[in-house]
Amino acid sequence: MSASPALGTTKTAQPNQIPQDAGLTEYEAALVRDLVGREPNALEWAMFGAMWSEHCAYKHSKKLLRTLPSRGASVAVGPGENAGAVDLGGGLLCVFKVESHNHPSAIEPFQGAATGVGGILRDVFAMGARPTAVLNALFFGSPTDPAVRRTIAGVTGGISFYGNCVGIPDIAGHISFEPCYAENPLVNAMCVGFARSEDLRKASGARPGSAVYLVGSDTGRDGIAGASLLASFELGTGADEKRPSVQVGNPFLEKLLLEATLELVAADAVEAVQDLGAAGLTCATSEVAAKSNVGMRVDVVKVPRRARGMTPYEVMLSESQERMLVIARPGRERDVEQIFARWELHGSRIGEVTAEPMLRIFDGDDLVAELLPRSLANDAPEYDLSEIAAAFARDDDEVAGARRGTRGPTWPREGPPRTTDTSADIYRDVERIAIWPRLRIRWSRSS
């Protein structure tokens, strides 16, 4: 039986019965119900859970991130796209992306780190830039600990393996060893590429009537709901149960995908390109539609799969690697398909862009999800991190425990209060939470 029956034929959950794997608080679930105007079905809950996860929505860090400089005479592309871009002059852009893959690397060091590299490579060439170099910043526990040594070997092996197979060198990095990172390493990867300004592509160019293609690896069950079930939760004794949520990478397929994407850009055959990373097809479709102020109609039956009997839930939440969503220019569909074939890539037309800003997911003739793209991509609540600092101040025992790495602040089920106001004491708040061992930020006001 499908995990997400057609709308109108499914018995939805009763109020306050939130599917556990959605990862939403009761407060967030109430917001979802208000936005949707009804009780979502299982697939729709899962889509919100993935898109409103910490990994995708940055709901606890957006307020701090907005305090960082992001505008300037040389900034060609700021926050909000697959990657940033700086104008180097002469029509040349430096395109770059930094991303962490901490929890996946803690659970499965080799694949966690390798797929972290693969993801940032796709973010860069999705912008029409050729990836040129990889960098990293790694934080581990004491290297005298055998378990930490295994993690170090897996992470460094995954990073070097993926980059070498694609043909992109790892040119620089940083490494630190601190006891607080013994069970939860920080694995930060960066990719730098270059593009001509006229070749730059954004995810916001989709237009009504254009064909939607999914190209690259077939969709499997690896990494399902990784954004909500793995990347956004605290690690603990159940870590082994989350191992199936770690994606598996194929750098040789990534190389083909890279060259095909750049050829599509050079031929000016595409309106928009989007990497499928965290939250998979759910994220790619909703983000492109929201940024372009359009809708999409997608049929999961048309999505190539590597496993039999996959449900719409599994197809929409799979985080199988080496996949891209491509929006073809009207009349250029044949050119797009020929480029896919030339690079021996499996590309399938899975839907089309619609004028009505609604994301509709079909399973053949059955409508299994119907949501506003902007609700998924833009309307996640934002939380004030100063509440974390206040939690430490209110409870001396909790502060001591957190500094020893034995416990963190406890949030009520309904979540912390929502706010979008800019605090006048933002620097003080950052300094107070920097002592949290899961962050351990080296902070100075001058920076």
Side-chain angles (χ1 to χ4, degrees):
M1 180 179 292
S2 170
S4 303
L7 293 177
T9 65
T10 179
K11 291 183 178 180
T12 55
Q14 295 301 309
N16 299 322
Q17 292 182 346
I18 312 163
Q20 185 176 3
D21 57 3
L24 297 171
T25 67
E26 292 179 3
Y27 167 71
E28 291 165 345
L31 293 180
V32 169
R33 293 186 180 100
D34 286 342
L35 288 169
V36 178
R38 56 177 169 79
E39 188 73 17
N41 65 23
L43 173 57
E44 292 168 332
W45 275 124
M47 293 170 71
F48 269 105
M51 292 302 295
W52 284 20
S53 66
E54 188 65 36
H55 188 75
C56 291
Y58 294 89
K59 55 192 176 184
H60 287 89
S61 55
K62 270 187 176 179
K63 183 178 178 182
L64 292 176
L65 292 174
R66 289 195 187 100
T67 68
L68 300 175
S70 59
R71 296 181 180 180
S74 297
V75 177
V77 179
E81 280 291 338
N82 284 302
V86 174
D87 190 348
L88 301 178
L92 186 65
L93 303 178
C94 175
V95 180
F96 59 92
K97 180 65 175 285
V98 182
E99 191 169 278
S100 65
H101 236 220
N102 304 330
H103 285 185
S105 299
I107 300 298
E108 181 56 60
F110 187 93
Q111 290 294 348
T115 54
V117 173
I120 59 170
L121 295 182
R122 290 192 300 278
D123 286 330
V124 168
F125 67 74
M127 299 287 290
R130 177 171 290 278
T132 305
V134 174
L135 304 87
N136 58 72
L138 311 175
F139 299 78
F140 300 109
S142 172
T144 60
D145 184 335
V148 171
R149 293 183 71 86
R150 287 192 293 272
T151 300
I152 294 171
V155 168
T156 56
I159 290 173
S160 60
F161 167 75
Y162 206 102
N164 287 340
C165 290
V166 181
I168 300 172
D170 194 323
I171 63 169
H174 165 89
I175 189 166
S176 289
F177 300 98
E178 297 284 351
C180 60
Y181 301 119
E183 295 182 0
N184 191 4
L186 302 188
V187 178
N188 304 294
M190 178 177 184
C191 177
V192 176
F194 298 92
R196 291 288 176 185
S197 56
E198 61 267 23
D199 291 333
L200 194 69
R201 289 295 181 275
K202 298 180 180 180
S204 56
R207 298 294 178 263
S210 300
V212 178
Y213 287 88
L214 182 62
V215 61
S217 175
D218 288 351
T219 298
R221 290 190 170 98
D222 51 314
I224 289 177
S228 55
L229 290 181
L230 173 61
S232 302
F233 275 66
E234 290 292 332
L235 296 180
T237 57
D240 287 342
E241 299 171 2
K242 298 178 181 178
R243 194 173 299 272
S245 290
V246 178
Q247 311 95 324
V248 178
N250 181 348
F252 302 105
L253 183 58
E254 178 104 341
K255 174 63 174 176
L256 299 177
L257 198 56
L258 185 162
E259 298 299 339
T261 301
L262 294 183
E263 186 172 336
L264 287 169
V265 170
D268 197 26
V270 293
E271 292 179 336
V273 182
Q274 177 71 41
D275 161 44
L276 269 73
L281 196 54
T282 293
C283 183
T285 54
S286 62
E287 286 194 348
V288 170
K291 291 174 183 177
S292 304
N293 196 28
V294 295
M296 279 192 194
R297 185 189 192 280
V298 172
D299 186 353
V300 296
V301 169
K302 298 178 180 179
V303 174
R305 312 175 192 190
R306 73 167 76 109
R308 293 182 178 180
M310 290 184 67
T311 64
Y313 172 97
E314 292 172 320
V315 173
M316 291 302 296
L317 273 297
S318 169
E319 294 182 9
S320 294
Q321 298 292 284
E322 291 82 39
R323 298 182 299 163
M324 304 288 283
L325 194 75
V326 174
I327 312 299
R329 292 195 185 282
R332 302 297 301 276
E333 295 85 0
R334 184 172 177 81
D335 295 332
V336 169
E337 293 168 4
Q338 287 177 340
I339 291 174
F340 290 162
R342 180 156 51 249
W343 289 99
E344 299 181 353
L345 290 170
H346 198 172
S348 298
R349 183 169 177 169
I350 64 170
E352 57 275 340
V353 180
T354 61
E356 182 186 4
M358 182 68 71
L359 177 61
R360 291 186 173 93
I361 309 301
F362 286 82
D363 183 13
D365 294 330
D366 295 330
L367 178 63
V368 294
E370 186 176 38
L371 300 169
L372 289 170
R374 67 174 182 271
S375 295
L376 291 166
N378 301 333
D379 290 343
E382 295 178 16
Y383 298 120
D384 190 344
L385 269 179
S386 63
E387 290 294 314
I388 295 180
F392 283 114
R394 285 193 300 266
D395 189 339
D396 290 338
D397 291 338
E398 191 163 86
V399 172
R403 284 177 171 167
R404 290 194 301 269
T406 57
R407 61 183 294 201
T410 302
W411 290 113
R413 175 63 177 167
E414 64 272 14
R418 182 178 188 272
T419 178
T420 55
D421 296 333
T422 302
S423 171
D425 300 321
I426 192 72
Y427 290 109
R428 181 203 63 196
D429 293 340
V430 172
E431 289 170 340
R432 293 174 70 184
I433 66 172
I435 62 171
W436 199 19
R438 295 182 181 87
L439 300 178
R440 191 60 75 86
I441 300 170
R442 297 181 184 277
W443 174 265
S444 66
R445 286 178 179 265
S446 60
S447 61

